[in-house]
Amino acid sequence: MPDSTSDRARKVVFFMTAAIPLLLVIAIVLHRMIPHSRIVFYAVVFIIVIAAANMTLNIISILFNKNISFPVRPNFFLTSVLTPPAFMIARIFVSKDVFHRSFITYNNKVIKAKKHKFRPEEILILLPRCIQNSDCKQGVVKDISNCSSCGSCDVSAINKLLKETGIKGAVVTGGSQARELLKTLKPRAVIAVACERELISGIFDSNTKFVYGLLNERPNGPCFNTKADMSEVERVIESILDKPITREGTPEEKGHE
């Protein structure tokens, strides 16, 4: 049975907690080995302590659904202090993908607890190239609005959401193109659909932004005709958009015709 989102979040918290004494031991060893490094040693220990405090605030924020953690940029920096050693420890016990899924869940819960709202033009949905049906000839990578809405893949459903909400969206071929889009469009919030590896890369590449990572579904194996969990995509949009989604053809709209 797959882990629940709470189980995944607890996993990464456990490994990040274990990373704290490991980092302190490394700092002490280096301090002993390198003479005249007292100032550097105290600076490193200070950062580790603040990183531990940041993680504690994140956990409290998640548990009580309150925004008491550091702002996104310092939060990300302090989290990244603990992540590499946590990953080293985790690899002894679990697979790389398990740790990545745990970290993605933890990241999403921290971002959710901040309860920030954004205007449509401040939000960007990033989709992987493999979400497009492999038989489709439409050039959606350059422009997602080129989708013919045939319904053979989730690009059609995402395109409909973009029209209903006014938010931006793009299909990208990989991390390099995604990074270029972030530089060009400068969104404040990103909803990224991808595999574990691409999501982790995207979260760390977008450290000054609110990034929600949503794992794609791979009924045909990796990188081929993948799918998005549309209910989860809509849930995230509804949680961060500063206005309700206007559905096409809803009874409310028809009543005003």
Side-chain angles (χ1 to χ4, degrees):
M1 181 181 295
D3 290 346
S4 69
T5 55
S6 295
D7 290 337
R8 289 200 293 268
R10 281 194 288 266
K11 277 191 179 73
V12 82
V13 166
F14 173 81
F15 291 123
M16 289 174 72
T17 302
I20 296 169
L22 175 61
L23 285 174
L24 289 173
V25 169
I26 293 173
I28 292 170
V29 170
L30 290 176
H31 175 55
R32 297 291 185 182
M33 292 176 60
I34 304 173
H36 311 298
S37 61
R38 180 171 297 180
I39 295 176
V40 175
F41 171 73
Y42 286 133
V44 170
V45 170
F46 176 76
I47 292 173
I48 294 171
V49 170
I50 296 300
N54 177 69
M55 187 182 69
T56 302
L57 291 176
N58 284 342
I59 295 168
I60 295 172
S61 297
I62 292 170
L63 290 176
F64 296 97
N65 198 26
K66 298 287 185 180
N67 182 20
I68 62 171
S69 59
F70 288 15
V72 170
R73 190 164 190 167
N75 196 325
F76 174 83
F77 168 74
L78 293 168
T79 298
S80 66
V81 170
L82 300 180
T83 303
F87 180 69
M88 291 170 56
I89 297 169
R91 288 305 305 274
I92 301 172
F93 303 98
V94 298
S95 69
K96 177 171 63 176
D97 282 348
V98 167
F99 180 82
H100 285 172
R101 285 193 294 270
S102 300
F103 182 84
I104 292 162
T105 300
Y106 172 81
N107 172 80
N108 289 351
K109 285 180 173 288
V110 171
I111 295 296
K112 179 185 175 184
K114 291 186 176 298
K115 299 182 181 179
H116 277 258
K117 296 289 185 178
F118 303 93
R119 299 190 303 275
E121 62 271 19
E122 295 176 322
I123 303 172
L124 173 66
I125 297 181
L126 287 177
L127 303 170
R129 170 67 178 84
C130 58
I131 203 170
Q132 183 183 17
N133 187 286
S134 58
D135 294 325
C136 181
K137 305 303 180 184
Q138 299 297 112
V140 297
V141 171
K142 292 183 179 180
D143 187 351
I144 194 171
S145 65
N146 287 336
C147 173
S148 62
S149 300
C150 68
S152 63
C153 67
D154 287 334
V155 175
S156 175
I158 294 289
N159 206 30
K160 182 181 177 183
L161 264 177
L162 298 181
K163 293 175 182 177
E164 292 173 343
T165 59
I167 65 181
K168 295 174 285 191
V171 177
V172 295
T173 55
S176 297
Q177 191 177 42
R179 286 189 290 272
E180 286 301 315
L181 268 176
L182 293 179
K183 291 178 182 178
T184 302
L185 299 179
K186 296 180 172 59
R188 291 187 60 209
V190 177
I191 303 171
V193 179
C195 62
E196 291 87 349
R197 180 175 61 84
E198 292 294 340
L199 285 180
I200 289 292
S201 174
I203 289 170
F204 278 89
D205 286 342
S206 312
N207 59 79
T208 62
K209 298 173 178 61
F210 292 78
V211 182
Y212 292 81
L214 302 180
L215 286 170
N216 58 8
E217 299 173 356
R218 289 155 272 187
N220 303 293
C223 304
F224 183 76
N225 289 350
T226 59
K227 297 180 68 63
D229 184 339
M230 290 307 303
S231 62
E232 188 68 6
V233 172
E234 292 188 31
R235 185 195 66 76
V236 172
I237 291 174
E238 289 171 347
S239 70
I240 66 174
L241 192 61
D242 66 353
K243 62 181 182 179
I245 297 176
T246 303
R247 301 291 182 185
E248 294 180 355
T250 60
E252 291 78 4
E253 291 176 315
K254 292 177 180 178
H256 291 289
E257 291 179 352

